[in-house]
Amino acid sequence: MIHDITDRDFDQVVERSPIPVLVEFWKPGCRSCQALMRQLKQLEQEVTGKVLIVKMNVEENFQIPGELDIHSLPALALYREGRFERFIGGMGTKEEILKQLPVA
């Protein structure tokens, strides 16, 4: 299950994760966000224990999306060792996303 993350617990979750963290920035009513979430739910089953996938509602959280200067949704950000590494492209399918993840 992909858990929600907030501005308040973001640093704690990301910095304490022993594995890379993939964050989907989304908002309610965004059809592209919902489509991506379905792909991420399928992907999560394949990367469990290798990548932590979480989601952040940008209508309820402003700090982290603002720091990353996110203007279009959905957006996927990869964090490693508690630090932002890069945005992930390939919004279409789990296969496209998987190719860009650091999984062994």
Side-chain angles (χ1 to χ4, degrees):
M1 176 179 199
I2 298 175
H3 295 283
D4 287 295
I5 192 169
T6 66
D7 283 335
R8 185 178 303 133
D9 62 5
F10 185 86
D11 287 338
Q12 180 181 0
V13 171
V14 171
E15 289 175 5
R16 290 188 180 173
S17 178
I19 57 177
V21 180
L22 183 64
V23 182
E24 179 191 10
F25 294 93
W26 70 284
K27 72 177 183 177
C30 169
R31 291 183 183 223
S32 296
C33 299
Q34 294 167 353
L36 179 59
M37 184 57 60
R38 286 190 292 275
Q39 293 296 311
L40 291 175
K41 285 178 182 176
Q42 293 175 17
L43 177 64
E44 183 182 37
Q45 297 170 6
E46 295 182 33
V47 299
T48 298
K50 298 176 185 173
V51 176
L52 173 64
I53 302 175
V54 296
K55 59 184 176 167
M56 178 178 278
N57 181 340
V58 300
E59 289 187 347
E60 297 175 354
N61 300 279
F62 308 103
Q63 179 183 343
I64 302 301
E67 289 174 4
L68 293 175
D69 200 26
I70 293 175
H71 293 289
S72 63
L73 297 174
L76 285 176
L78 180 65
Y79 287 80
R80 270 212 251 205
E81 298 176 1
R83 293 183 301 269
F84 172 77
E85 185 171 285
R86 62 189 163 90
F87 287 105
I88 299 288
M91 295 298 176
T93 66
K94 70 178 179 125
E95 290 81 12
E96 292 170 347
I97 299 165
L98 184 59
K99 289 178 190 175
Q100 300 179 61
L101 294 179
V103 291

